[in-house]
């Protein structure tokens, strides 16, 4: 391992420090590069740039490894719960029984929304996309809860974090209820975090809602699979927004906005819509051809990843969960057959092999969410619900970093050089 690299730039010979983490690629410390050379590095899309150091999540894209505070995602998905993983992401260690009970108690008692927030939903059209509602209502939380807005106070940061983790299921369920014209249901503290979400979503005041334990377990596992993922686009958005000292609820609303894009969290909705459009196995070759056609903007949604150049370990767990849930619910869905066949054909196609395109977490999630009863428009809202714990964990890590400063990238300027103003009368 080298402790520095040499660079000759602007006529100077520089020794740039190399920093090593606990695992993964080393980094070249270029913080003084501009001061020493008058030059910037250039990396749109940040394909080779570490924006921070973090101890929360580690991904090895070549090996298909995903660790949360060192624990492999497969073990967490199989043996843990979303509340336990949330505690782990926030605090760095798995909780003991009393810590887990205390954390769950705290989260459970923050699930209610300020009653005035219910009226925010009524300002939306009934056909508003749930992610539009999530952006609006989560942003509106910054107009409430002023007792947890002082980000310099670790106590207030943790209360804001707990409130966000607790209220996202309530807001997501309300967004769904509003879209189908059914009344909102208040949280039920006797239920688990995930059971409470299912009841608020699918329950009605007219009768008791009984949580299906198979669905509850599958939903909880889906939340675990979506909890955090290193410095992805929406997490980077939350970090950048938070770096200015902005209101924590407003920062999470910014993350929701970024996640909505079809290249990111919106891919789960797009993937199921694509599978439904393909419809039958015999139409798969037509879509694979389109995905390979440089003149066709069509991409196989749910395929490919900036980091994973091997299988996304979350897709593996998701596919297994689809099999279990469809089997246990006695549901068959031709879309799942199309998904399995599409994966098989793509993974044997030289284009996808050469470009290292594998199914990602979004490829199968829609099949199971649809089987549970969610409309496709709710899929990304569920992703946002789960990813909120990752966003707040990363936000807390950034704010509590003594070296933290506002994020302010530079640019390669390609516009006009200085020129004098031309009065209107003199313009042709
Ligand atoms: C998530 O970052 C995270 O960790 C995100 C996430 C998380 O948990 O936060 O994992 C969640 O966002 C998963 C990704 C969901 N998005 C999709 O499924 C949308 C479809 N996939 C892509 O658009 C794409 O693969 C990305 C956006 C995911 C990654 O894009 P990159 O890394 O910028 O790669 P690229 O666009 O430069 O593609 C490399 C090549 C290109 O071909 P060339 O220009 O080199 O010839 O691969 C091709 C692309 O055209 N390609 C695809 C493809 N994805 C990439 N071709 C067909 N189908 C695809 N899906």
């Amino acid at each position: 391992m080298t402790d520095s690299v040499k660079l000759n730039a602007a006529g100077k010979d520089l020794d740039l420090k190399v920093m090593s983490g606990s695992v993964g690629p080393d980094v070249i410390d270029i913080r003084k590069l501009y001061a020493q050379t008058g030059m910037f590095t250039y990396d749109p899309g940040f394909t080779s740039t570490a924006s921070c150091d973090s101890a929360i999540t580690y991904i090895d894209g070549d090996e298909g490894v995903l660790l949360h505070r060192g624990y492999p995602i497969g073990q967490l998905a199989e043996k843990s719960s979303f509340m336990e993983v949330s505690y782990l992401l926030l605090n760095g260690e798995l909780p003991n029984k009393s810590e887990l009970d205390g954390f769950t108690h705290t989260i459970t008692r923050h699930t209610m929304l300020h009653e005035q927030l219910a009226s925010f939903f009524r300002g939306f059209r009934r056909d508003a996309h749930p992610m539009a509602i999530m952006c609006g209502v989560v942003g509106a939380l910054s107009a409430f809860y002023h007792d947890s807005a002082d980000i310099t106070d670790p106590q207030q940061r943790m209360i804001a974090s707990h409130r966000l983790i607790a209220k996202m299921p309530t807001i997501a369920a309300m967004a769904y209820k509003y879209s189908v014209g059914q009344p909102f249901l208040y949280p039920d503290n006797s239920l688990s975090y995930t059971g409470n979400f299912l009841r608020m979503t699918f329950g009605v005041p007219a009768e008791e809602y009984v949580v299906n334990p198979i669905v509850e377990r599958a939903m909880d596992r889906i939340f675990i699979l979506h909890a955090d993922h290193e410095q992805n686009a929406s997490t980077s958005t939350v970090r950048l927004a938070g770096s200015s000292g902005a209101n924590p609820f407003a920062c999470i609303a910014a993350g929701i906005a970024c996640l909505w894009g079809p290249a990111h969290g919106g891919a789960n909705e797009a993937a199921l819509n694509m599978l439904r459009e393909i419809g039958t196995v015999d139409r798969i070759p037509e879509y694979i051809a389109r995905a390979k056609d440089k003149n066709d903007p069509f991409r196989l949604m749910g395929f490919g990843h900036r980091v994973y150049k091997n299988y996304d370990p979350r897709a593996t767990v998701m596919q297994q969960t689809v099999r279990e849930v469809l089997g246990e619910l006695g549901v068959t869905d031709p879309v799942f057959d199309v998904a399995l066949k599409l994966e098989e054909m793509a993974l044997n196609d030289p284009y996808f092999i050469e470009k290292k395109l594998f199914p990602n977490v979004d490829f199968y999630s829609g099949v199971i969410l649809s089987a549970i009863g969610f409309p496709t428009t709710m899929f990304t809202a569920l992703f946002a619900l789960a990813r909120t714990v990752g966003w707040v964990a990363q936000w807390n890590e950034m704010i509590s970093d003594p070296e933290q400063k506002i994020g302010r990238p530079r640019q390669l300027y390609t516009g006009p050089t200085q020129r004098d103003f031309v009065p209107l009368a003199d313009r042709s």
Side-chain angles (χ1 to χ4, degrees):
M1 178 196 71
T2 58
D3 53 13
S4 69
V5 291
K6 295 192 180 305
L7 175 70
N8 177 275
K12 292 182 181 171
D13 289 326
L14 303 176
D15 271 322
L16 297 175
K17 187 171 71 170
V18 172
M19 300 162 69
S20 299
S22 42
V23 64
D26 290 344
V27 298
I28 300 171
D29 185 348
I30 57 163
R31 284 175 287 188
K32 294 190 170 47
L33 182 72
Y34 178 56
Q36 292 171 339
T37 67
M39 297 173 80
F40 300 137
T41 58
Y42 183 70
D43 187 14
F46 311 118
T47 50
S48 302
T49 295
S51 61
C52 63
D53 57 78
S54 177
I56 298 173
T57 291
Y58 173 69
I59 302 171
D60 182 329
D62 293 328
E63 298 302 318
V65 169
L66 168 55
L67 308 177
H68 289 317
R69 302 285 192 179
Y71 296 100
I73 189 63
Q75 293 182 26
L76 293 172
E78 184 192 341
K79 300 172 181 171
S80 189
S81 69
F82 183 66
M83 279 292 97
E84 197 169 44
V85 171
S86 294
Y87 183 98
L88 172 68
L89 289 170
L90 279 173
N91 299 291
E93 297 296 336
L94 287 169
N96 61 33
K97 175 102 176 54
S98 68
E99 288 164 337
L100 180 57
D101 291 348
F103 179 73
T104 304
H105 180 275
T106 299
I107 296 298
T108 301
R109 275 150 189 78
H110 278 295
T111 50
M112 279 179 66
L113 280 190
H114 189 294
E115 193 63 12
Q116 282 179 225
L117 277 160
S119 55
F120 280 77
F121 290 80
R122 293 187 176 81
F124 291 99
R125 286 166 49 119
R126 290 280 180 176
D127 61 356
H129 194 290
M131 285 300 276
I133 297 177
M134 298 289 278
C135 284
V137 175
V138 173
L141 296 179
S142 55
F144 299 75
Y145 307 118
H146 297 302
D147 60 336
S148 62
D150 175 1
I151 60 151
T152 62
D153 176 353
Q155 267 293 82
Q156 292 198 33
R157 288 206 302 271
M158 202 41 80
I159 294 171
S161 302
H162 291 159
R163 279 174 163 152
L164 280 157
I165 294 165
K167 296 178 191 313
M168 285 297 274
T170 310
I171 294 168
M174 290 170 81
Y176 170 70
K177 284 304 196 191
Y178 187 71
S179 73
V180 295
Q182 289 182 359
F184 300 142
L185 284 191
Y186 288 110
D188 176 345
N189 289 352
S190 70
L191 298 174
S192 72
Y193 180 87
T194 302
N196 183 37
F197 169 65
L198 289 169
R199 178 182 167 277
M200 290 189 290
T201 302
F202 297 118
V204 289
E207 60 189 37
E208 188 196 0
Y209 178 82
V210 179
V211 177
N212 178 323
I214 298 164
V215 173
E216 183 179 24
R217 178 73 196 120
M219 199 73 237
D220 199 71
R221 188 184 297 174
I222 289 170
F223 288 160
I224 291 171
L225 295 176
H226 288 81
D228 190 51
H229 213 240
E230 195 209 73
Q231 303 313 317
N232 59 85
S234 54
T235 298
S236 299
T237 300
V238 170
R239 278 182 172 260
L240 195 56
S243 73
S244 73
N247 177 289
F249 302 101
C251 292
I252 298 305
I256 294 171
C258 178
L259 185 74
W260 192 1
H264 191 12
N268 54 15
E269 176 179 353
L272 193 73
N273 289 337
M274 174 193 73
L275 291 170
R276 285 189 173 144
E277 183 185 326
I278 294 172
T280 53
V281 168
D282 62 317
R283 295 187 67 204
I284 290 173
E286 170 196 336
Y287 283 83
I288 286 186
R290 285 188 57 196
K292 293 157 61 173
D293 179 355
K294 279 279 151 257
N295 301 316
D296 188 333
F298 172 79
R299 286 190 165 186
L300 283 186
M301 301 316 281
F303 259 77
H305 199 278
R306 172 62 58 78
V307 177
Y308 289 122
K309 299 310 173 191
N310 193 326
Y311 217 88
D312 180 340
R314 301 168 298 175
T316 309
V317 179
M318 195 68 82
Q319 188 198 96
Q320 290 160 1
T321 306
V322 174
R323 288 186 194 283
E324 285 168 24
V325 173
L326 293 190
E328 286 160 348
L329 293 180
V331 171
T332 55
D333 185 345
V335 156
F336 185 42
D337 301 330
V338 172
L340 290 171
K341 190 66 181 169
L342 173 55
E343 176 188 354
E344 179 197 324
M345 291 175 72
L347 296 190
N348 287 292
D349 183 298
Y351 173 89
F352 294 90
I353 295 168
E354 179 222 321
K355 294 184 187 298
K356 299 184 177 180
L357 302 174
F358 294 85
N360 57 50
V361 68
D362 295 310
F363 185 63
Y364 286 108
S365 55
V367 177
I368 189 171
L369 294 174
S370 176
I372 291 173
F374 293 102
T376 50
T377 51
M378 275 296 290
F379 291 179
T380 310
L382 300 174
F383 195 148
L385 185 167
R387 185 53 58 89
T388 294
V389 65
W391 288 333
V392 296
Q394 300 265 356
W395 172 77
N396 273 295
E397 183 179 66
M398 175 199 63
I399 297 281
S400 51
D401 177 352
E403 291 190 11
Q404 186 267 328
K405 53 183 14 176
I406 189 167
R408 205 289 188 205
R410 301 304 302 272
Q411 63 180 10
L412 175 67
Y413 178 68
T414 58
T417 54
Q418 183 165 330
R419 52 183 173 167
D420 293 330
F421 182 79
V422 179
L424 183 60
D426 298 342
R427 292 174 220 154
S428 54

